[in-house]
């Protein structure tokens, strides 16, 4: 099938590469000339596992990148809108880019088109797209609008796309739903997974996957409600972690205990310094605003957000508890991206923490396996020192702060780290270690929802002094 994807951000680029991988001819459009040129030169633009492989396989063959939106619309029967929907000042999603694309489709319509919302949009956007199409001269029988939300996570976006747990198609026309079904058939019938060159399945893959057909409005709510629910789960466990600290319980044990109930599940129960990224904070605000406009005051979502923000301030208090005065203290920060496996720093709790620590007068030296270039733009005036090598970050540090759950931070060479540091203190905002392990390696270890562990060596020293 000939498909156009408008927008080559995280969602658009991954969808374009993956649709080519399952056999479609894809034209991916972006109005940013430098992006299109870079993609045509062979660059990947984002740090995403398996994306370089897919681009190398299909670029210039089944997958082309262009700025020419008119041509892409004319040559495709299905057009996915994957442009950005940033938050506006009042919290609503800014849909002006979606509207611009709808206008462009209407002006260039030359045959029947299925317009698919892939961007995360508020309820009723599909109706708005229909209206804009008709206002711009597109006959009502020449197009259908479908909502096909994505549930990709950055870092695992390619495998999330190729091995989804469900595919949601929100369509009010049976023909449009059938076309979308055909597009996804290699995933829905499991035939893609059987190919010898298929990207390897993740452990928890569901093959063949479930295809859920709903109304457009239901699909729009499914997307917002999914993200809001996951954010709520994270804030819930963070709140439980805070109780655990107060009563001397261990939140990791609690997670094992509650997560083994299949009705609750273990996923998204990792306590930490809060969720971030380009989706949860923005989508929660947008869903709150949509609910309010619909006449329902969804205050639970405010609390989810409040707990999330509070988590950063609690972490700052932990750093203070570890170091007393913060002014002039040298802190080695491990992690800048909003989670491991991505170079994305949008709404990153790690970046927010650094801002708070800089305000307190700390000297920050930071390391991240992928997000350093992006973070340098956030701190352009030398406020933060960036270290090219992980262990150099710790040299002379008063404490190491773990702010992102990168795999490589979970398997640190602890003796080497300790040797480099001025004081063996670790404040772990992601609970990557067992307190006993840290303690036995001579670190004073602070984490989330567990008792603080003072290094035995230090305890002995203070006992001797006493
Ligand atoms: C999220 C959803 O998981 C995807 O299903 C959805 O498609 C996507 O938003 C989107 O709307 O585009 P993503 O933002 O890439 O995906 O990342 P997640 O893995 O969901 O993590 C989000 C944040 O929550 C990160 O800051 C992460 O560190 C944090 N988190 C996640 C926790 O603090 N604890 C957890 O247990 C899980």
């Amino acid at each position: 099938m000939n498909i156009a994807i408008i927008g080559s951000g995280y969602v658009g680029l991954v969808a374009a590469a993956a649709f080519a991988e399952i056999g479609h001819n894809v034209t991916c459009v972006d109005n940013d000339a430098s992006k299109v040129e870079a993609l045509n030169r062979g660059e990947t633009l984002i740090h995403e596992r398996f994306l370089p492989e897919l681009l190398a396989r299909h670029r210039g063959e089944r997958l082309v990148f262009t700025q020419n939106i008119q041509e892409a619309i004319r040559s495709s029967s299905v057009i996915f809108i994957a442009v950005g929907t940033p938050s506006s000042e009042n919290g609503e999603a800014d849909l002006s880019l979606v509207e611009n694309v709808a206008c462009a489709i209407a002006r260039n319509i030359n045959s029947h088109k299925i317009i698919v919302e892939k961007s995360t949009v508020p309820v009723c956007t599909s109706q708005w797209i229909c209206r804009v199409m008709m206002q711009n001269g597109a006959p009502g029988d020449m197009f259908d609008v479908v909502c096909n939300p994505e549930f990709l996570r950055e870092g695992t976006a390619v495998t999330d796309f190729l091995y989804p747990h469900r595919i949601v198609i929100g369509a009010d026309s049976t023909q449009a739903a059938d076309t979308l079904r055909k597009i996804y058939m290699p995933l829905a019938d499991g035939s893609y997974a059987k190919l010898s060159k298929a990207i390897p399945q993740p452990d928890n893959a569901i093959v063949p996957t479930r295809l859920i057909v709903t109304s457009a409005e239901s699909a729009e709510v499914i997307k917002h409600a999914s993200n809001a629910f996951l954010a709520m789960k994270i804030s819930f466990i963070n709140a439980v972690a805070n109780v655990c600290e107060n009563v001397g319980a261990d939140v990791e044990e609690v997670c094992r205990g509650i997560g083994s109930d299949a009705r609750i599940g273990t996923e998204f129960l990792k306590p930490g310094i809060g969720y971030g990224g380009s989706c949860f904070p923005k989508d929660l605000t947008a869903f709150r605003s949509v609910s309010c406009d619909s006449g329902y005051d969804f205050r639970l979502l405010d609390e989810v957000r409040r707990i999330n923000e509070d988590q950063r301030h609690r972490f700052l208090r932990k750093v203070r508890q570890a170091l007393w005065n913060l002014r002039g203290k040298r802190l080695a920060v491990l992690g800048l991206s909003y989670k491991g496996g991505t170079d994305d720093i949008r709404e990153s709790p790690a970046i927010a923490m650094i801002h708070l620590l800089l305000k307190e007068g700390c000297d920050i030296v930071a390391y991240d396996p992928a997000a350093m270039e992006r973070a340098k733009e956030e701190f352009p005036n030398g406020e933060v020192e960036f270290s090219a090598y992980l262990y150099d970050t710790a040299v002379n540090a008063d404490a190491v702060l773990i702010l992102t759950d990168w795999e490589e931070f979970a398997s640190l060479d602890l003796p080497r780290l300790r040797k480099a540091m001025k004081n063996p203190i670790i404040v772990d905002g992601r609970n990557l270690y067992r307190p006993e392990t840290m303690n036995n390696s001579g670190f004073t270890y602070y984490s989330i929802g567990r008792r603080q562990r003072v290094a035995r060596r230090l305890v002995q020293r203070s006992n001797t002094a006493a």
Side-chain angles (χ1 to χ4, degrees), residues 11 120 150-156 160 166 223 226-227 230 233-234 237-238 266-280 283 308 337-340 347-349 405 430:
V11 175
T120 301
E150 56 78 22
F151 303 101
L152 313 179
R153 290 162 300 172
E154 287 185 23
T156 53
D160 284 346
R166 82 291 209 190
K223 171 65 191 181
S226 298
N227 275 2
L230 292 171
K233 228 178 152 185
I234 298 168
I237 203 61
N238 281 331
T266 50
E267 290 199 49
F268 278 73
L269 276 189
K270 269 197 241 129
I273 50 172
Y275 60 77
S278 65
C279 305
F280 285 177
D283 289 357
N308 198 54
S337 56
Y338 77 97
K339 65 172 189 175
E347 299 284 328
S348 168
D405 53 347
R430 299 289 188 164

Side-chain angles (χ1 to χ4, degrees), residues 83-362:
V83 293
T85 53
S87 288
S88 54
E89 268 175 24
N90 60 3
E92 286 173 13
D94 174 355
L95 298 179
S96 50
L97 296 177
V98 175
E99 183 176 356
N100 291 348
V101 174
C103 291
I105 299 173
R107 289 194 202 111
N108 291 284
I109 201 158
N110 59 340
S111 58
H112 187 272
K113 309 286 174 194
I114 296 179
I115 302 161
V116 190
E117 300 164 18
K118 202 70 175 146
S119 306
T120 301
V121 289
V123 188
C124 299
T125 302
S126 61
Q127 289 172 16
W128 272 108
I129 293 176
C130 281
R131 239 192 266 181
V132 169
M133 290 287 293
M134 296 213 267
Q135 279 163 1
N136 284 274
D141 58 353
M142 286 279 279
F143 68 90
D144 284 300
V145 180
V146 175
C147 173
N148 169 222
E150 56 78 22
F151 303 101
L152 313 179
R153 290 162 300 172
E154 287 185 23
T156 53
V158 169
T159 46
D160 284 346
F161 192 101
L162 294 171
Y163 300 101
H165 282 191
R166 82 291 209 190
I167 295 166
V168 175
I169 298 172
D172 297 322
S173 119
T174 320
Q175 290 91 327
D178 286 346
T179 304
L180 265 286
R181 246 196 211 107
K182 274 189 206 131
I183 290 179
Y184 283 107
M185 197 43 80
L187 308 181
D189 67 7
S191 57
Y192 172 72
K194 291 190 191 125
L195 298 177
S196 58
K197 283 177 81 179
I199 295 294
Q201 290 183 33
D203 290 342
N204 63 350
I206 299 175
V207 180
T209 189
R210 203 178 310 163
L211 219 143
I212 301 169
V213 179
T214 67
S215 69
E217 287 77 12
S218 298
E220 287 163 345
V221 174
I222 286 171
K223 171 65 191 181
H224 265 152
S226 298
N227 275 2
F229 188 86
L230 292 171
M232 179 186 72
K233 228 178 152 185
I234 298 168
S235 278
F236 179 83
I237 203 61
N238 281 331
V240 170
N242 298 334
V243 175
C244 286
E245 281 176 16
N246 291 351
V247 302
D250 177 331
V251 71
E252 297 297 333
E253 289 175 356
V254 173
C255 283
R256 265 207 315 281
I258 61 176
S260 57
D261 181 333
R263 293 171 301 173
I264 297 173
T266 50
E267 290 199 49
F268 278 73
L269 276 189
K270 269 197 241 129
I273 50 172
Y275 60 77
S278 65
C279 305
F280 285 177
K282 168 171 81 74
D283 289 357
L284 208 77
T285 309
F287 195 34
R288 173 79 174 97
S289 163
V290 164
S291 317
C292 219
D293 290 349
S294 77
Y296 181 70
D297 189 11
F298 205 156
R299 271 177 288 173
L300 172 65
L301 300 183
D302 288 339
E303 193 55 17
V304 169
R305 203 166 39 192
R306 191 197 63 74
I307 294 170
N308 198 54
E309 277 158 23
D310 189 42
Q311 216 47 20
R312 294 169 194 176
H313 295 281
R314 289 185 65 94
F315 188 79
L316 182 65
R317 286 205 289 278
K318 270 186 212 299
V319 180
R320 224 182 256 130
Q321 195 189 340
L323 296 172
W324 191 22
N325 294 304
L326 294 184
R327 182 158 300 281
K329 294 279 161 68
R330 184 173 172 83
L331 303 181
V333 163
L334 299 187
L336 296 161
S337 56
Y338 77 97
K339 65 172 189 175
T342 176
D343 59 347
D344 197 340
I345 59 162
R346 285 176 291 176
E347 299 284 328
S348 168
I351 299 288
M353 277 312 313
I354 293 177
H355 280 296
L356 290 176
L357 292 163
L358 286 172
K359 264 200 203 141
E360 296 284 329
C362 300

